[in-house]
């Protein structure tokens, strides 16, 4: 059985595959039935046992039933195939309409592109000028960024120096406070000693 005209593999590929499989099954079943008939003819000519004859007859009946069932399935698949072919035809027509519409739109775009060719050249020239200006501006910005980085390094160094000076100042301040406390304690101790001596002198007289 030949593939129907206009069939294409796509969304309905599974239907075609099932159709081919059923066709192969029917062909194999018909071949088996033919062989069984030949066996029965040979059995009529030659002497065979009743059991063998009944077994062959039963097998033939089973194959005929399976063959009939397969034909029903094949009819259903053929119906599906025809429906799928109808869908393919509808889609083909729709695709042809869309193709014509696309070609018309493409022709319009080409015509408009030719008319605006001079504008395109002007825009390209303008874009080149802008690009050149941007490159110059980027060079300037890069120079400014380098200056900023250098200033940041200087500021970082100055901050480090300031931190070191503040640290030295705190140490010096702590030392001065410590010396002041020591001197104050010595002063208080010396004053206490003088007061004690001044109290002892009148008693000695």
């Amino acid at each position: 059985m030949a593939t129907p005209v206009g069939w294409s593999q796509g969304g309905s590929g599974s239907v075609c595959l099932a159709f081919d499989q059923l066709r192969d099954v029917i062909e194999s079943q018909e071949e088996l039935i033919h062989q069984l008939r030949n066996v029965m003819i040979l059995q009529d000519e030659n002497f065979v046992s009743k059991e063998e004859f009944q077994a062959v007859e039963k097998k033939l009946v089973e194959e005929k039933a399976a063959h009939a069932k397969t034909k029903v399935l094949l009819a259903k698949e053929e119906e599906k195939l025809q429906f799928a072919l109808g869908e393919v035809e509808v889609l083909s027509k729709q695709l042809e309409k869309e193709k014509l519409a696309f070609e018309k739109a493409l022709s319009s775009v080409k015509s408009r592109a030719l008319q605006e060719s001079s504008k395109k050249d002007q825009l390209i020239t303008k874009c080149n000028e802008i690009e050149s200006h941007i490159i110059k501006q980027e060079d300037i910005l890069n120079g400014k960024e380098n200056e900023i980085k250098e200033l940041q390094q200087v500021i970082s160094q100055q901050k480090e120096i300031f931190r070191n000076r503040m640290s030295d100042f705190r140490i010096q301040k702590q030392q001065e406070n410590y010396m002041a406390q020591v001197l104050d304690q010595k002063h208080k101790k010396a004053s206490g000693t003088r007061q004690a001596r001044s109290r002892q002198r009148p008693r000695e007289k």
Side-chain angles (χ1 to χ4, degrees):
M1 185 178 295
T3 303
V5 178
W7 174 258
S8 61
Q9 294 182 354
S12 304
S14 59
V15 177
C16 184
L17 178 61
F19 180 79
D20 291 339
Q21 290 176 347
L22 286 172
R23 182 187 60 192
D24 294 338
V25 170
I26 290 174
E27 290 177 355
S28 63
Q29 288 176 343
E30 290 178 347
E31 179 66 23
L32 182 56
I33 290 172
H34 180 70
Q35 292 176 0
L36 289 173
R37 285 177 178 172
N38 290 335
V39 171
M40 291 181 67
I41 292 172
L42 291 174
Q43 287 178 347
D44 289 337
E45 296 175 356
N46 301 316
F47 176 77
V48 294
S49 64
K50 183 179 180 180
E51 290 78 7
E52 291 177 350
F53 176 78
Q54 289 177 347
V56 173
E57 187 177 23
K58 181 180 179 182
K59 185 69 174 177
L60 179 61
V61 172
E62 291 176 353
E63 289 297 332
K64 284 183 177 180
H67 184 62
K69 184 178 180 180
T70 305
K71 280 188 174 181
V72 172
L73 293 175
L74 178 60
K76 292 181 179 179
E77 293 300 328
E78 285 180 343
E79 184 179 355
K80 291 180 181 179
L81 178 60
Q82 293 301 324
F83 178 76
L85 290 174
E87 287 187 338
V88 169
E89 185 177 358
V90 172
L91 292 175
S92 297
K93 291 181 179 179
Q94 182 178 355
L95 180 61
E96 186 66 22
K97 290 180 180 179
E98 292 178 355
K99 181 180 178 181
L100 294 175
F102 174 77
E103 290 177 351
K104 183 178 180 180
L106 181 62
S107 177
S108 176
V109 170
K110 286 182 178 179
S111 177
R112 184 176 179 183
L114 291 174
Q115 292 176 359
E116 296 183 355
S117 178
S118 59
K119 292 182 180 180
K120 180 194 68 175
D121 294 337
Q122 293 176 0
L123 288 174
I124 291 174
T125 302
K126 188 67 176 179
C127 287
N128 290 334
E129 293 176 356
I130 294 173
E131 185 178 1
S132 177
H133 179 71
I134 290 173
I135 292 173
K136 292 180 181 179
Q137 291 295 325
E138 287 179 349
D139 292 338
I140 295 173
L141 290 174
N142 290 332
K144 295 294 183 181
E145 288 180 355
N146 292 331
E147 291 179 3
I148 290 172
K149 289 179 180 179
E150 292 176 357
L151 290 174
Q152 287 177 342
Q153 291 179 354
V154 173
I155 291 172
S156 298
Q157 292 175 355
Q158 290 178 349
K159 285 183 178 180
E160 187 65 25
I161 294 172
F162 178 75
R163 290 193 190 97
N164 293 333
R165 288 182 178 177
M166 287 297 297
S167 179
D168 294 340
F169 175 77
R170 291 191 187 97
I171 293 172
Q172 182 179 358
K173 191 68 176 178
Q174 290 175 356
Q175 291 176 348
E176 290 177 355
N177 291 335
Y178 176 76
M179 292 298 296
Q181 290 176 1
V182 171
L183 292 173
D184 185 60
Q185 290 176 357
K186 287 183 178 181
H187 178 71
K188 289 180 179 180
K189 187 175 181 181
S191 299
T193 303
R194 285 196 296 270
Q195 289 178 0
R197 288 179 179 177
S198 63
R199 290 174 182 173
Q200 290 176 356
R201 286 175 184 174
R203 293 178 183 178
E204 291 175 356
K205 292 179 180 180

